[in-house]
Amino acid sequence: MNGPSQARRLLGGLLLVGLGVGMALLILEAGVRILHLVPDRFWRPDPLLGTALVPDAHGWWTQEEHEFFVPVTINAAGRRDLDRPVAKAPGTFRILLLGDSFVEALQVPIEETFARGLERALTRPRGPTVEVVSMGVSGYGTAGEYLWYREIGRRFDADLVLLSFYPGNDVRNNSPTLEPALRPIYAPDGTLQRVDGGRGGDGAARAGGWSKAYTYLRKLVLSRQPVLAARLAEWGLVDRAALRPLPVQAGVPVDYWVFATPPPPDWQDAWVHTEGLLRALRDAVRADGAELVVMVVTSREQVYPADWEALQETYPALRASSWDLDGPERRVLGWCAGEQVDCVALSPAFRAARDGAPRLHWHFDGHWTAAGHALAAQTMTQALSARVPAQDKEAQ
Protein backbone atom coordinates (compact mmCIF):
# COMPACT_ATOMS: atom_id res chain seq x y z
CA MET A 1 0.00 0.00 0.00
CA ASN A 2 2.81 2.38 0.77
CA GLY A 3 4.32 2.12 -2.72
CA PRO A 4 1.25 3.22 -4.71
CA SER A 5 0.40 5.85 -2.10
CA GLN A 6 3.87 7.37 -2.28
CA ALA A 7 3.76 7.32 -6.08
CA ARG A 8 0.42 9.15 -6.06
CA ARG A 9 1.77 11.74 -3.63
CA LEU A 10 4.90 12.21 -5.77
CA LEU A 11 2.82 12.52 -8.92
CA GLY A 12 0.51 14.98 -7.20
CA GLY A 13 3.48 17.01 -6.04
CA LEU A 14 4.97 17.08 -9.51
CA LEU A 15 1.63 18.16 -10.94
CA LEU A 16 1.40 20.98 -8.39
CA VAL A 17 4.96 22.08 -9.18
CA GLY A 18 4.21 21.97 -12.92
CA LEU A 19 1.00 23.93 -12.38
CA GLY A 20 2.87 26.50 -10.31
CA VAL A 21 5.61 26.89 -12.91
CA GLY A 22 3.01 27.15 -15.66
CA MET A 23 1.07 29.81 -13.76
CA ALA A 24 4.28 31.75 -13.08
CA LEU A 25 5.18 31.66 -16.77
CA LEU A 26 1.70 32.83 -17.74
CA ILE A 27 1.87 35.68 -15.22
CA LEU A 28 5.31 36.66 -16.54
CA GLU A 29 4.02 36.54 -20.11
CA ALA A 30 1.01 38.68 -19.22
CA GLY A 31 3.17 41.19 -17.32
CA VAL A 32 5.62 41.64 -20.20
CA ARG A 33 2.74 42.17 -22.62
CA ILE A 34 0.76 44.55 -20.37
CA LEU A 35 3.85 46.66 -19.61
CA HIS A 36 4.98 46.62 -23.27
CA LEU A 37 8.51 45.62 -22.26
CA VAL A 38 9.22 44.14 -25.70
CA PRO A 39 8.93 46.33 -28.79
CA ASP A 40 6.80 45.07 -31.63
CA ARG A 41 8.13 44.59 -35.16
CA PHE A 42 6.94 46.91 -37.92
CA TRP A 43 9.23 46.02 -40.84
CA ARG A 44 9.41 43.39 -43.55
CA PRO A 45 11.93 42.63 -46.32
CA ASP A 46 11.53 44.55 -49.58
CA PRO A 47 13.18 43.48 -52.86
CA LEU A 48 14.01 47.05 -53.94
CA LEU A 49 14.42 49.00 -50.70
CA GLY A 50 15.83 46.25 -48.49
CA THR A 51 13.17 46.83 -45.85
CA ALA A 52 9.81 48.58 -45.60
CA LEU A 53 7.14 49.23 -43.00
CA VAL A 54 4.27 46.74 -42.86
CA PRO A 55 0.98 48.35 -43.95
CA ASP A 56 -1.66 48.53 -41.21
CA ALA A 57 0.74 47.23 -38.55
CA HIS A 58 0.23 48.43 -35.00
CA GLY A 59 1.85 47.87 -31.63
CA TRP A 60 4.21 49.51 -29.14
CA TRP A 61 7.78 50.74 -29.29
CA THR A 62 10.35 50.94 -26.51
CA GLN A 63 14.03 50.09 -25.98
CA GLU A 64 16.16 48.35 -23.37
CA GLU A 65 16.36 51.35 -21.03
CA HIS A 66 12.60 52.00 -21.42
CA GLU A 67 12.97 55.75 -21.86
CA PHE A 68 9.64 55.74 -23.68
CA PHE A 69 6.59 53.57 -24.39
CA VAL A 70 4.92 54.71 -27.60
CA PRO A 71 1.83 53.33 -29.38
CA VAL A 72 2.60 52.92 -33.08
CA THR A 73 0.31 52.57 -36.08
CA ILE A 74 1.48 52.20 -39.68
CA ASN A 75 -1.01 53.41 -42.24
CA ALA A 76 -2.37 51.42 -45.18
CA ALA A 77 0.32 52.86 -47.48
CA GLY A 78 3.13 51.56 -45.27
CA ARG A 79 4.14 54.86 -43.68
CA ARG A 80 4.02 56.05 -40.07
CA ASP A 81 1.91 58.99 -41.08
CA LEU A 82 -1.60 60.28 -41.46
CA ASP A 83 -3.59 58.79 -44.31
CA ARG A 84 -3.15 61.00 -47.37
CA PRO A 85 -4.56 60.45 -50.84
CA VAL A 86 -1.86 60.29 -53.48
CA ALA A 87 -3.69 62.87 -55.60
CA LYS A 88 -3.12 66.36 -54.22
CA ALA A 89 -6.30 68.35 -53.63
CA PRO A 90 -6.61 71.81 -55.23
CA GLY A 91 -5.34 74.64 -53.05
CA THR A 92 -2.86 72.37 -51.23
CA PHE A 93 0.82 73.07 -50.62
CA ARG A 94 2.40 69.67 -50.17
CA ILE A 95 5.76 68.90 -48.56
CA LEU A 96 7.16 65.40 -48.96
CA LEU A 97 9.41 64.53 -46.01
CA LEU A 98 12.03 61.83 -46.63
CA GLY A 99 14.23 60.35 -43.92
CA ASP A 100 15.27 57.52 -41.68
CA SER A 101 14.39 56.71 -38.06
CA PHE A 102 14.37 60.40 -37.09
CA VAL A 103 11.42 60.87 -39.47
CA GLU A 104 9.84 57.50 -38.63
CA ALA A 105 10.01 58.81 -35.04
CA LEU A 106 8.88 55.75 -33.11
CA GLN A 107 10.24 57.36 -29.93
CA VAL A 108 7.35 59.88 -29.62
CA PRO A 109 3.58 59.79 -30.25
CA ILE A 110 2.70 60.68 -33.83
CA GLU A 111 1.11 64.01 -32.89
CA GLU A 112 4.43 65.11 -31.36
CA THR A 113 6.58 64.26 -34.39
CA PHE A 114 8.48 66.81 -36.43
CA ALA A 115 6.18 66.26 -39.43
CA ARG A 116 3.01 67.07 -37.53
CA GLY A 117 4.61 70.08 -35.80
CA LEU A 118 5.87 71.48 -39.11
CA GLU A 119 2.46 71.03 -40.72
CA ARG A 120 0.69 72.83 -37.89
CA ALA A 121 3.19 75.69 -37.83
CA LEU A 122 3.07 76.31 -41.60
CA THR A 123 -0.73 76.35 -41.74
CA ARG A 124 -2.12 79.90 -41.83
CA PRO A 125 -5.76 81.02 -41.50
CA ARG A 126 -5.98 82.41 -45.04
CA GLY A 127 -3.20 80.37 -46.57
CA PRO A 128 -3.41 77.14 -48.53
CA THR A 129 -3.91 73.76 -46.94
CA VAL A 130 -0.44 72.55 -45.94
CA GLU A 131 0.27 68.84 -45.97
CA VAL A 132 3.48 67.21 -44.78
CA VAL A 133 3.51 63.70 -46.19
CA SER A 134 6.02 61.82 -44.06
CA MET A 135 8.10 58.85 -45.19
CA GLY A 136 10.71 57.63 -42.74
CA VAL A 137 12.05 54.10 -42.25
CA SER A 138 14.67 52.95 -39.76
CA GLY A 139 17.94 52.06 -41.48
CA TYR A 140 17.35 54.05 -44.66
CA GLY A 141 20.15 56.15 -46.04
CA THR A 142 19.98 58.49 -49.00
CA ALA A 143 19.98 55.40 -51.22
CA GLY A 144 16.70 54.03 -49.85
CA GLU A 145 15.14 57.49 -49.71
CA TYR A 146 16.05 58.22 -53.34
CA LEU A 147 14.69 54.86 -54.53
CA TRP A 148 11.47 55.37 -52.60
CA TYR A 149 11.03 58.82 -54.12
CA ARG A 150 11.81 57.57 -57.62
CA GLU A 151 9.36 54.67 -57.44
CA ILE A 152 6.62 55.98 -55.14
CA GLY A 153 7.15 59.46 -53.75
CA ARG A 154 7.01 61.42 -56.99
CA ARG A 155 3.37 60.34 -57.42
CA PHE A 156 2.44 62.65 -54.54
CA ASP A 157 3.07 65.75 -56.70
CA ALA A 158 4.94 67.57 -53.94
CA ASP A 159 5.67 71.28 -54.15
CA LEU A 160 8.72 70.80 -51.95
CA VAL A 161 10.75 67.72 -51.00
CA LEU A 162 12.43 67.98 -47.61
CA LEU A 163 15.26 65.49 -47.10
CA SER A 164 16.24 64.75 -43.51
CA PHE A 165 19.97 63.95 -43.61
CA TYR A 166 21.58 62.42 -40.53
CA PRO A 167 25.38 62.38 -40.85
CA GLY A 168 25.61 59.99 -37.91
CA ASN A 169 24.81 57.03 -40.15
CA ASP A 170 23.49 58.19 -43.55
CA VAL A 171 26.97 58.31 -45.07
CA ARG A 172 27.69 54.77 -43.89
CA ASN A 173 24.25 53.62 -45.10
CA ASN A 174 25.15 54.77 -48.63
CA SER A 175 28.39 52.78 -48.78
CA PRO A 176 28.48 49.37 -50.49
CA THR A 177 31.33 48.30 -48.18
CA LEU A 178 30.65 49.96 -44.81
CA GLU A 179 26.90 49.26 -44.55
CA PRO A 180 26.32 45.78 -43.04
CA ALA A 181 22.52 45.46 -42.99
CA LEU A 182 20.88 47.41 -45.85
CA ARG A 183 23.66 47.41 -48.41
CA PRO A 184 23.17 49.55 -51.53
CA ILE A 185 23.97 47.81 -54.81
CA TYR A 186 25.53 49.99 -57.50
CA ALA A 187 26.11 49.28 -61.19
CA PRO A 188 29.68 49.58 -62.55
CA ASP A 189 28.92 53.15 -63.66
CA GLY A 190 27.85 54.07 -60.11
CA THR A 191 24.10 54.02 -60.75
CA LEU A 192 22.09 52.81 -57.77
CA GLN A 193 20.17 49.63 -58.57
CA ARG A 194 18.62 48.50 -55.28
CA VAL A 195 19.22 48.05 -51.56
CA ASP A 196 19.98 44.52 -50.37
CA GLY A 197 18.33 43.65 -47.08
CA GLY A 198 20.13 40.34 -46.66
CA ARG A 199 18.20 37.68 -44.74
CA GLY A 200 15.92 40.21 -43.08
CA GLY A 201 14.61 39.69 -39.57
CA ASP A 202 16.08 37.89 -36.59
CA GLY A 203 15.60 34.17 -36.98
CA ALA A 204 16.91 33.47 -33.50
CA ALA A 205 14.40 35.88 -32.00
CA ARG A 206 11.60 34.05 -33.78
CA ALA A 207 12.63 30.81 -32.07
CA GLY A 208 10.53 31.82 -29.09
CA GLY A 209 7.41 31.90 -31.22
CA TRP A 210 4.62 33.99 -29.76
CA SER A 211 6.21 34.39 -26.33
CA LYS A 212 7.03 37.99 -25.40
CA ALA A 213 8.46 36.82 -22.09
CA TYR A 214 10.99 34.61 -23.89
CA THR A 215 11.98 37.51 -26.13
CA TYR A 216 12.36 39.84 -23.15
CA LEU A 217 14.46 37.42 -21.10
CA ARG A 218 16.58 36.54 -24.10
CA LYS A 219 17.20 40.22 -24.79
CA LEU A 220 18.21 40.80 -21.17
CA VAL A 221 20.77 38.02 -21.40
CA LEU A 222 22.15 39.23 -24.74
CA SER A 223 22.42 42.88 -23.67
CA ARG A 224 23.20 42.69 -19.95
CA GLN A 225 25.07 39.36 -19.60
CA PRO A 226 27.50 39.15 -22.55
CA VAL A 227 29.64 36.46 -20.89
CA LEU A 228 26.63 34.22 -20.28
CA ALA A 229 25.34 34.95 -23.80
CA ALA A 230 28.68 33.91 -25.29
CA ARG A 231 28.65 30.68 -23.26
CA LEU A 232 25.09 29.90 -24.43
CA ALA A 233 26.26 30.48 -28.00
CA GLU A 234 29.10 27.99 -27.46
CA TRP A 235 26.55 25.43 -26.28
CA GLY A 236 24.38 26.07 -29.33
CA LEU A 237 21.51 27.51 -27.29
CA VAL A 238 21.81 30.99 -28.83
CA ASP A 239 22.61 31.86 -32.44
CA ARG A 240 25.99 33.61 -32.57
CA ALA A 241 24.54 36.10 -35.04
CA ALA A 242 22.17 37.25 -32.30
CA LEU A 243 25.06 38.42 -30.09
CA ARG A 244 25.52 41.40 -32.43
CA PRO A 245 28.52 43.07 -30.84
CA LEU A 246 28.82 46.75 -31.72
CA PRO A 247 31.01 46.91 -34.86
CA VAL A 248 34.29 48.61 -34.05
CA GLN A 249 37.32 49.57 -36.07
CA ALA A 250 40.62 50.23 -34.25
CA GLY A 251 38.68 50.26 -30.98
CA VAL A 252 36.19 52.88 -32.20
CA PRO A 253 32.52 52.20 -33.10
CA VAL A 254 32.37 52.21 -36.89
CA ASP A 255 29.76 54.95 -37.20
CA TYR A 256 31.99 57.51 -35.50
CA TRP A 257 34.66 57.33 -38.20
CA VAL A 258 32.49 59.72 -40.22
CA PHE A 259 33.74 62.40 -37.80
CA ALA A 260 37.43 61.54 -38.28
CA THR A 261 39.77 64.19 -39.65
CA PRO A 262 40.64 63.34 -42.29
CA PRO A 263 38.09 60.60 -43.07
CA PRO A 264 39.64 57.18 -43.86
CA PRO A 265 39.65 56.13 -47.55
CA ASP A 266 36.56 53.91 -47.25
CA TRP A 267 34.66 56.87 -45.79
CA GLN A 268 35.85 59.12 -48.59
CA ASP A 269 34.34 56.59 -50.99
CA ALA A 270 31.13 56.60 -48.95
CA TRP A 271 30.98 60.38 -49.31
CA VAL A 272 31.39 60.09 -53.10
CA HIS A 273 28.39 57.74 -53.21
CA THR A 274 26.42 60.00 -50.88
CA GLU A 275 27.00 63.12 -52.93
CA GLY A 276 26.09 61.25 -56.10
CA LEU A 277 22.81 60.14 -54.53
CA LEU A 278 22.04 63.66 -53.34
CA ARG A 279 22.63 64.91 -56.88
CA ALA A 280 20.38 62.21 -58.34
CA LEU A 281 17.61 63.07 -55.89
CA ARG A 282 17.93 66.78 -56.63
CA ASP A 283 17.69 66.15 -60.38
CA ALA A 284 14.65 63.86 -59.98
CA VAL A 285 12.85 66.37 -57.75
CA ARG A 286 13.54 69.25 -60.13
CA ALA A 287 12.43 67.16 -63.11
CA ASP A 288 9.10 66.75 -61.31
CA GLY A 289 8.72 70.51 -60.91
CA ALA A 290 9.44 70.58 -57.17
CA GLU A 291 12.24 71.96 -55.01
CA LEU A 292 14.65 69.99 -52.82
CA VAL A 293 15.63 71.28 -49.38
CA VAL A 294 18.08 69.39 -47.16
CA MET A 295 17.75 69.45 -43.36
CA VAL A 296 20.91 68.35 -41.54
CA VAL A 297 19.89 66.47 -38.39
CA THR A 298 21.81 66.70 -35.14
CA SER A 299 23.45 63.88 -33.19
CA ARG A 300 23.35 63.82 -29.40
CA GLU A 301 27.16 63.96 -29.17
CA GLN A 302 27.16 67.05 -31.37
CA VAL A 303 24.66 68.79 -29.10
CA TYR A 304 25.72 67.55 -25.65
CA PRO A 305 29.48 67.65 -24.90
CA ALA A 306 28.96 65.46 -21.83
CA ASP A 307 27.62 62.68 -24.05
CA TRP A 308 30.75 62.85 -26.19
CA GLU A 309 32.92 62.70 -23.08
CA ALA A 310 31.01 59.68 -21.79
CA LEU A 311 31.51 57.94 -25.14
CA GLN A 312 35.26 58.53 -24.93
CA GLU A 313 35.26 57.01 -21.45
CA THR A 314 33.58 53.91 -22.85
CA TYR A 315 35.88 53.72 -25.89
CA PRO A 316 39.30 55.11 -24.85
CA ALA A 317 40.63 54.59 -28.40
CA LEU A 318 38.60 57.66 -29.40
CA ARG A 319 41.15 59.81 -27.59
CA ALA A 320 43.93 58.58 -29.86
CA SER A 321 42.49 60.14 -33.04
CA SER A 322 41.29 63.55 -34.17
CA TRP A 323 37.54 64.13 -34.48
CA ASP A 324 35.40 66.97 -35.80
CA LEU A 325 31.74 66.50 -34.83
CA ASP A 326 30.71 69.34 -37.15
CA GLY A 327 32.80 68.11 -40.08
CA PRO A 328 30.10 66.02 -41.83
CA GLU A 329 27.57 68.83 -41.41
CA ARG A 330 29.96 71.33 -43.03
CA ARG A 331 30.57 68.92 -45.89
CA VAL A 332 26.84 68.64 -46.59
CA LEU A 333 26.45 72.41 -46.38
CA GLY A 334 29.34 72.80 -48.80
CA TRP A 335 27.79 70.34 -51.23
CA CYS A 336 24.49 72.21 -51.08
CA ALA A 337 26.19 75.54 -51.75
CA GLY A 338 28.04 74.14 -54.75
CA GLU A 339 24.94 72.43 -56.19
CA GLN A 340 22.49 75.29 -55.60
CA VAL A 341 20.39 73.34 -53.09
CA ASP A 342 19.01 75.05 -50.00
CA CYS A 343 20.32 73.39 -46.85
CA VAL A 344 19.44 74.04 -43.20
CA ALA A 345 21.60 72.88 -40.29
CA LEU A 346 19.71 72.33 -37.04
CA SER A 347 22.78 72.31 -34.79
CA PRO A 348 22.87 76.08 -34.01
CA ALA A 349 19.28 76.05 -32.71
CA PHE A 350 19.82 72.82 -30.77
CA ARG A 351 23.01 74.03 -29.13
CA ALA A 352 21.36 77.29 -28.16
CA ALA A 353 18.58 75.36 -26.41
CA ARG A 354 20.55 72.41 -24.99
CA ASP A 355 20.91 73.76 -21.46
CA GLY A 356 17.17 73.91 -20.97
CA ALA A 357 14.89 71.10 -19.91
CA PRO A 358 13.83 68.61 -21.07
CA ARG A 359 16.59 67.11 -23.20
CA LEU A 360 16.34 67.40 -26.98
CA HIS A 361 17.85 63.94 -27.61
CA TRP A 362 17.03 60.85 -25.58
CA HIS A 363 20.02 60.06 -23.38
CA PHE A 364 20.33 56.38 -24.33
CA ASP A 365 18.35 56.07 -27.55
CA GLY A 366 19.86 59.16 -29.18
CA HIS A 367 16.83 60.15 -31.26
CA TRP A 368 14.89 63.34 -30.65
CA THR A 369 12.58 63.68 -27.70
CA ALA A 370 9.27 65.49 -28.14
CA ALA A 371 11.14 68.71 -27.30
CA GLY A 372 13.68 67.95 -30.03
CA HIS A 373 10.94 67.36 -32.59
CA ALA A 374 9.27 70.63 -31.58
CA LEU A 375 12.52 72.60 -31.90
CA ALA A 376 13.28 71.05 -35.29
CA ALA A 377 9.77 71.98 -36.47
CA GLN A 378 10.17 75.52 -35.19
CA THR A 379 13.55 75.92 -36.91
CA MET A 380 12.35 74.54 -40.25
CA THR A 381 9.18 76.62 -40.10
CA GLN A 382 11.34 79.74 -40.06
CA ALA A 383 13.34 78.39 -43.00
CA LEU A 384 10.36 77.30 -45.12
CA SER A 385 7.56 79.76 -44.31
CA ALA A 386 8.46 82.10 -47.18
CA ARG A 387 7.93 79.25 -49.66
CA VAL A 388 4.31 78.70 -48.63
CA PRO A 389 1.95 81.04 -50.52
CA ALA A 390 0.44 83.68 -48.26
CA GLN A 391 -3.02 83.04 -49.66
CA ASP A 392 -4.84 80.05 -51.06
CA LYS A 393 -4.63 80.31 -54.85
CA GLU A 394 -8.21 79.06 -55.11
CA ALA A 395 -9.38 82.03 -53.04
CA GLN A 396 -7.47 84.66 -55.03
Side-chain angles (χ1 to χ4, degrees), residues 251-337:
V252 174
V254 169
D255 280 355
Y256 290 97
W257 284 103
V258 74
F259 301 113
T261 55
D266 47 356
W267 285 91
Q268 292 283 16
D269 179 70
W271 273 110
V272 170
H273 283 291
T274 296
E275 290 166 351
L277 291 166
L278 288 170
R279 193 172 295 111
L281 178 61
R282 178 206 61 187
D283 292 346
V285 169
R286 288 181 177 175
D288 293 335
E291 178 185 9
L292 176 67
V293 176
V294 178
M295 175 181 71
V296 187
V297 173
T298 53
S299 67
R300 62 181 172 185
E301 295 85 6
Q302 188 185 19
V303 175
Y304 294 103
D307 288 16
W308 177 242
E309 287 296 323
L311 189 71
Q312 292 180 90
E313 291 292 330
T314 303
Y315 298 97
L318 280 164
R319 301 188 188 278
S321 299
S322 178
W323 311 97
D324 182 357
L325 298 183
D326 291 332
E329 177 184 286
R330 283 197 305 273
R331 181 155 183 168
V332 176
L333 293 173
W335 180 90
C336 288

Side-chain angles (χ1 to χ4, degrees), residues 158-244:
D159 298 284
L160 185 148
V161 175
L162 178 58
L163 174 68
S164 171
F165 187 90
Y166 177 53
N169 56 35
D170 277 3
V171 181
R172 185 255 296 163
N173 293 150
N174 298 327
S175 168
T177 57
L178 293 171
E179 171 56 39
L182 297 172
R183 186 168 60 92
I185 306 298
Y186 297 94
D189 65 355
T191 303
L192 178 66
Q193 296 179 316
R194 62 186 177 87
V195 174
D196 181 13
R199 292 183 303 170
D202 183 356
R206 290 194 296 268
W210 62 271
S211 175
K212 296 280 188 180
Y214 167 84
T215 303
Y216 178 64
L217 293 174
R218 176 178 173 276
K219 190 172 184 180
L220 282 180
V221 171
L222 293 176
S223 62
R224 306 290 176 85
Q225 300 293 331
V227 175
L228 175 59
R231 184 61 57 85
L232 292 175
E234 290 178 4
W235 295 340
L237 299 177
V238 171
D239 187 351
R240 284 192 177 276
L243 300 181
R244 293 181 179 176

